[in-house]
Amino acid sequence: MLSYTLKRLALAIPTLLIVITISFFLMRVAPGGPFDGERQLPPEIEANLKAAYHLDEPLPMQYLRYMGNLLQGDFGPSFKYKDFSVTELIVQGFPVSLELGFWAILLALAIGLPLGVIAALKRNSSIDYLVMSIALGGIAVPNFVIAPLLALVFGVLLAWLPAGGWNGGAWQNMLLPVIALSIQQIAYIARMMRASMIEILSSHFIRTARAKGLSESEVIWRHAMRPAMLPVVSYLGPAIAGIITGSVVIEQIFGIPGIGRYFVQGALNRDYTLVMGTVVFYGALIVLLNLIVDLLYSVLDPQIRYDD
């Protein structure tokens, strides 16, 4: 297990290097710059600003300088958020996105898994059709449509919950964005769980368990549930990373100061270092979560082993 983990971490280095390199040059190729605002700066001031941030150097030199700083754990200063480094902004935004994403994925599992199991056990029945129709609707409707509707109905018209703001992570402020984030994940998990459970229930070891006289609940929970969850666990790696750091629209709509909001603002303002910092952080998080998911496979399925 240790040898496999170290190999995966070693393979992650060239992957992250490719992501960083592509992102770096794409940011520089995009039109505009960090100091192109509505008010035109005098040429000498703009030249001084570029010199201060080494943007007057040739592009290969900028790349080598950035990689050298990155190896030391320095993401650089933000061009737009004065007196803040990119590391400080990520440290501020990540706990907010993490808390939001944690409750969203927990809600998605708590609802999606049982719905998928029920749909599989009631296959081709009206209950199955209803669950899958709801799941299909959840997948088809994007969260940038769901979130404003939730804010409008429950925040403005009914005034049951705040329509925006974070308020230190109060549950009233978290409820609507968590629901908006989790709806699509509930739909995906329910559909995957249904398909996986149907396949597992037709397996030979399930027939053997039933032939031994076990009750249907024992067959489902003791024998079918763990292997049926393997596709869901595989999906959770990128899904969790996407929810935690990629809830861009949700954070913008509800005014939540998470890492996704910083990413959007950085891209709009051509804040090179801020965008690069969030990309690197996001890539490393995906690699780590995918590794954790692979290791969980051996826990859920004893037949899977990673030899040292």
Side-chain angles (χ1 to χ4, degrees):
M1 183 77 73
L2 178 61
S3 175
Y4 173 80
T5 303
L6 294 176
K7 288 178 183 177
R8 284 289 302 272
L9 292 175
L11 289 173
I13 295 175
T15 302
L16 287 175
L17 180 61
I18 293 172
V19 171
I20 294 169
T21 303
I22 293 175
S23 301
F24 181 89
F25 287 102
L26 282 178
M27 281 296 300
R28 297 312 196 272
V29 170
F35 308 116
D36 296 341
E38 295 180 0
R39 185 175 61 183
Q40 188 69 28
L41 293 174
E44 58 275 10
I45 295 180
E46 185 173 354
N48 290 336
L49 285 172
K50 288 183 176 180
Y53 291 105
H54 306 287
L55 295 178
D56 57 339
E57 298 177 349
L59 201 54
M61 183 61 68
Q62 294 183 42
Y63 173 74
L64 292 176
R65 182 183 296 277
Y66 181 79
M67 293 302 297
N69 292 335
L70 191 61
L71 290 175
Q72 302 175 37
D74 182 12
F75 289 107
S78 171
F79 293 161
K80 291 297 182 179
Y81 292 89
K82 304 301 181 183
D83 301 325
F84 284 96
S85 68
V86 173
T87 302
E88 290 173 336
L89 292 175
I90 291 176
V91 169
Q92 287 179 11
F94 179 63
V96 175
S97 296
L98 179 63
E99 185 176 2
L100 193 66
F102 171 78
W103 290 113
I105 202 68
L106 194 65
L107 181 63
L109 288 172
I111 297 177
L113 289 178
L115 284 180
V117 173
I118 292 171
L121 295 178
K122 303 293 184 179
R123 184 181 180 184
N124 297 329
S125 68
S126 57
I127 295 177
D128 181 22
Y129 295 145
L130 176 62
V131 171
M132 288 301 101
S133 297
I134 295 174
L136 185 61
I139 294 173
V141 181
N143 56 14
F144 62 78
V145 174
I146 295 173
L149 285 176
L150 290 175
L152 176 63
V153 174
F154 295 101
V156 178
L157 298 179
L158 298 177
W160 289 353
L161 296 166
W166 183 240
N167 193 25
W171 70 267
Q172 296 92 338
N173 294 78
M174 289 181 58
L175 190 57
L176 291 182
V178 165
I179 293 173
L181 262 179
S182 63
I183 285 177
Q184 279 194 336
Q185 306 305 324
I186 291 172
Y188 281 118
I189 290 173
R191 288 178 66 85
M192 281 190 293
M193 193 63 190
R194 174 188 180 274
S196 180
M197 182 62 75
I198 289 174
E199 181 180 355
I200 293 298
L201 289 177
S202 61
S203 301
H204 294 298
F205 71 93
I206 295 297
R207 295 194 188 101
T208 302
R210 285 171 172 161
K212 290 181 179 179
L214 296 179
S215 65
E216 191 66 16
S217 61
E218 287 180 308
V219 171
I220 298 300
W221 296 109
R222 290 180 54 186
H223 296 277
M225 196 66 181
R226 287 174 63 180
M229 286 182 62
L230 288 176
V232 176
V233 170
S234 179
Y235 168 76
L236 285 180
I240 292 174
I243 285 179
I244 291 175
T245 61
S247 55
V248 175
V249 176
I250 303 299
E251 292 181 3
Q252 284 289 100
I253 291 173
F254 291 102
I256 298 173
I259 193 173
R261 190 180 183 187
Y262 285 137
F263 179 80
V264 172
Q265 294 299 323
L268 293 175
N269 295 326
R270 296 295 186 270
D271 194 338
Y272 296 154
T273 50
L274 181 55
V275 173
M276 287 298 302
T278 53
V279 167
V280 173
F281 183 78
Y282 180 70
L285 190 62
I286 287 180
V287 169
L288 178 62
L289 289 173
N290 283 335
L291 174 60
I292 293 174
V293 164
D294 287 346
L295 297 179
L296 283 177
Y297 262 54
S298 61
V299 176
L300 293 173
D301 190 349
Q303 295 181 350
I304 298 176
R305 287 289 181 268
Y306 302 114
D307 297 327
D308 291 335

